[in-house]
Amino acid sequence: MPTRLTTLLSTPRPSRPPSRNDAAGPVTGTARPSRDAPGWATALSLALVCFVTYTALSVRLHQRMLTTGYDLGIFEQAVRSYAHGHLPVAELKGPGFPLLGDHFSPVLALLAPLYRVWPTPVTLLVAQAALLAVAVIPLARWAEEVRGRRAALVIGLGYGTSWGVAQTVGFDFHEVCFAVPLLAFSLTAVGRGRARAAALWALPLLLVKEDLGLTVAVVGLLIARTGERDDRRTGGALFLAGVLGSFLEMLVVIPAFNPGGTFAYSSSVPGAGSATPGAGELLLHYTVGMVTPDTKAQTVLALLSVTGFLAVRSPLLRAALPTLVWRFASDNPAYWGTNYHYSAVLMPILFAAFVDALTRPGPVRYALAASAAVTVLLLPQFPLWQLTQPATWHTDPRLATARRLMDRIPDDATVAASNRLVPQLTNRTRVSVFGLGGSRPDPEWIIDDNAQPMGWPISPDDDRRMLSEVRNNGLYRTVADQDGYVLLQRRP
């Protein structure tokens, strides 16, 4: 027998729009959408606003030289390789380093035609803005169908300004931006009882990143739980594809491309790398260690609060488990918190679960109000708020000097540059981060921001020490030293 959720959401939409009482009270029958609008107008408007907002912030950060080689530069080098008909190579990871030996993300090849026409890192930033914004459409449409326009606005703006999306927009470009709309469409289809559509949207996640196959597997389980025979088959096949896909990518494909013949990131997860901890240590790590230190619990709290905690009532929330498990199981503290792009894939899951929960009897008004309140309270704490700050629209006069000096570096030259200068050069040179171990030795040019070093991936003290050593070793001549920027050229 189909579950109540499948029956509810697969029933054809009636023509009557929801009344005020419908929006406030429990769902006792079929969810009622607007009479003449399947949610397109609201959803498209919200997506457009999000796209413009994301583009404005990310492009402005790049113009202010606040983007970095790690990670925008790495991904541009990969896309540039694809655009010229080669497998992706990232000079920033090492001379001739094959990027498929780091993460399995062939989906980046989709950006190659755009990059061929517009060979600039801005192409990646705008594409990311579009992909993140597109995820608004299925979420807002579904919300409007089941609870009206007010719910669509709360869901659309809640997702669109959520901290996980904001952190992604505020930190360079990452391949997971492709996963965000795929998850939004797939889980919306699951909620509506459209098993085949859900599976077709989920399968491409295998081409985005190796760990997402486990998320695909969970989507397969969600499809299979409906009880319909065809759905069980579809869900079971998707589950197997997800599990096998992830393990093949991590254990076979990536090691085949990796110069060291390994999947490098397995070493950060106890029990997955070459060193095998004791059984007691593993038990402790995968129990108490999954909720400690406090950063992990705070992340879960921040995730659930954006939905007024109503998402916990939906089985769709289970799709977040694979990502949370690998992050919290890792010994890398950067994965535990709310920084960077690591929560991007969780945002469409949370808000799909939120909409699903809205189809059930419960405190709908409370949940919508709580979600809106949390959205407003958190917004100033994350990068989208920068658009309201005067400093965002101010350009440091030093940057003109940096651009003038970088213009003196010829195309196709080998270069070592400060991390924040790298993505200004990736579209036309072979560039690596100055001072980083494993980089190409003795590049033809070096340009370093000695006045305001970023501090990562090398410390300011190390940066200044290495620059002094290079300037004194006789191999390079000083071409310019202006406003804290030093440009060196290797002697013939």
Side-chain angles (χ1 to χ4, degrees), residues 271-315:
S274 55
T276 304
E281 185 179 347
L282 280 176
L283 179 63
L284 185 64
H285 182 82
Y286 285 100
T287 53
V288 177
M290 297 301 287
V291 293
T292 58
D294 293 345
T295 303
K296 299 175 182 179
Q298 292 167 1
T299 296
V300 173
L301 181 64
L303 288 167
L304 297 178
S305 65
V306 297
T307 70
F309 295 93
L310 201 67
V312 297
R313 304 181 65 196
S314 169

Side-chain angles (χ1 to χ4, degrees), residues 386-446:
Q386 295 178 29
L387 291 172
T388 69
Q389 306 303 302
T392 301
W393 307 104
H394 170 74
T395 301
D396 187 341
R398 294 180 67 242
L399 302 187
T401 300
R403 292 190 176 91
R404 186 169 61 253
L405 296 184
M406 286 187 286
D407 285 343
R408 301 180 67 170
I409 300 174
D411 293 351
D412 297 320
T414 58
V415 185
S418 297
N419 197 23
R420 284 181 173 154
L421 298 179
V422 165
Q424 310 293 326
L425 293 163
T426 40
N427 67 327
R428 64 182 187 86
T429 67
R430 290 173 288 165
V431 60
S432 57
V433 174
F434 173 66
L436 189 63
S439 297
R440 184 181 296 275
D442 304 328
E444 296 169 299
W445 294 82
I446 295 174

Side-chain angles (χ1 to χ4, degrees), residues 28 59 108 119 125 127 142 153 242 274 281 329 348 350 408 475 490:
T28 56
V59 172
L108 292 170
L125 297 174
W142 188 19
L153 290 171
S274 55
E281 185 179 347
L350 283 164
R408 301 180 67 170
L475 187 60
R490 193 177 65 196

